[in-house]
Amino acid sequence: MLPTAAPLRASCKSHATPFRAVPPALVATRRVRCCANADKHETTEEPAKVARIAKRVAHAAVAGLATLSVLTSGAWARPQGVNRPELLPQGEQTAVIDVAGFLTPSEEKRISTEVAALERDTGFKLRVLAQNYPETPGLAIREYWGVDDNTVVFVADPTFGDILNFNVGAGVDLEVPRSFWSRLAGKYGNKFYWQENGEAASILNAVSAIDTCLREEPGRFKCSTVQGEFGEQPSSGPFGKAIGQ
């Protein structure tokens, strides 16, 4: 708006115009900027912004829980209604839950060993959930894993195309630039990658890249690159180095 002291020849009103390409709950508004001549209004629509919001909502639905919003700090979004504790493993707690059957027992053990070493060495907790929405324990994993500010919940679900989704605690968010998660998902989570190499390859490579990232020293270059494929470049931890030999 122009300053109120400037005389206007006509009054202006904001007009809301639905953007039909997104769900009803997500409506793009047309911004109208008033000018002295009421017949010349500058308008800008926001399809790109709506598309970004729609993608984040879709990812939250994929996970059955709130996934990371790159514009918020480690906060849980509105639950999507999936809460099935009966799908949680029975017996001893595990850091890897594969209700989709993407991983072999040896791959699950490999990931469990790596994330246990990561937690022991850094204090950061990485937890992995492989699922096909809506077959997921969903919000039940929060209590099961004791999700806190130092937890990364990695949800592997190919239902909506991209297989990698992350919920990042506030403590991790302070250490790791948010661009890292986007680049990691773009490298190993895109549909072309996991369809060609398999879901397990996406999961294993992402875990190894996260392990390397969280072990790096704090600073402006921390997590500035996404590690190469598993075995191509060993992660920084003892487990990753052993595998890379």
Side-chain angles (χ1 to χ4, degrees):
M1 289 287 276
L2 293 174
T4 54
L8 297 177
R9 292 171 56 185
S11 60
C12 292
K13 295 181 179 179
S14 296
H15 304 282
T17 304
F19 185 74
R20 298 179 181 177
V22 298
L26 300 173
V27 178
T29 59
R30 174 173 294 174
R31 291 182 178 176
V32 180
R33 186 164 56 191
C34 294
C35 57
N37 186 340
D39 295 328
K40 296 181 180 179
H41 295 158
E42 297 180 14
T43 64
T44 58
E45 293 186 9
E46 303 178 277
K49 179 179 179 181
V50 172
R52 290 195 301 270
I53 296 174
K55 184 177 180 179
R56 292 201 298 271
V57 171
H59 281 190
V62 167
L65 53 98
T67 55
L68 172 69
S69 167
V70 295
L71 298 180
T72 59
S73 177
W76 292 83
R78 184 184 299 275
Q80 298 300 309
V82 179
N83 187 15
R84 301 179 62 185
E86 70 274 12
L87 293 180
L88 292 171
Q90 302 299 313
E92 186 178 354
Q93 187 186 107
T94 175
V96 182
I97 300 175
D98 182 14
V99 294
F102 295 149
L103 302 168
T104 65
S106 63
E107 288 168 340
E108 284 192 42
K109 184 177 180 180
R110 178 188 302 175
I111 294 173
S112 295
T113 301
E114 186 160 11
V115 299
L118 175 67
E119 184 173 355
R120 182 186 65 244
D121 296 342
T122 68
F124 291 122
K125 294 163 46 178
L126 175 59
R127 299 294 182 262
V128 180
L129 171 63
Q131 64 177 45
N132 271 310
Y133 182 83
E135 292 301 310
T136 169
L139 292 171
I141 67 172
R142 293 184 64 179
E143 182 177 351
Y144 177 80
W145 277 331
V147 174
D148 58 22
D149 286 348
N150 288 326
T151 304
V152 176
V153 177
F154 166 19
V155 181
D157 189 324
T159 303
F160 292 95
D162 293 343
I163 194 174
L164 305 185
N165 305 274
F166 307 98
N167 179 279
V168 179
V172 182
D173 195 36
L174 291 174
E175 290 277 339
V176 180
R178 297 176 184 180
S179 59
F180 170 79
W181 306 105
S182 299
R183 286 184 281 110
L184 176 58
K187 184 168 186 176
Y188 296 128
N190 70 80
K191 188 174 182 179
F192 300 103
Y193 183 88
W194 67 259
Q195 284 189 339
E196 180 177 348
N197 298 281
E199 296 91 346
S202 289
I203 296 169
L204 289 167
N205 286 323
V207 168
S208 190
I210 295 169
D211 177 39
T212 296
C213 163
L214 293 177
R215 290 177 181 278
E216 291 178 3
E217 293 296 324
R220 60 180 299 188
F221 297 112
K222 182 179 176 70
C223 304
S224 59
T225 61
V226 175
Q227 178 188 291
E229 294 191 14
F230 190 80
E232 169 189 315
Q233 180 180 346
S235 62
S236 302
F239 179 74
K241 289 179 179 178
I243 294 297
Q245 291 177 350

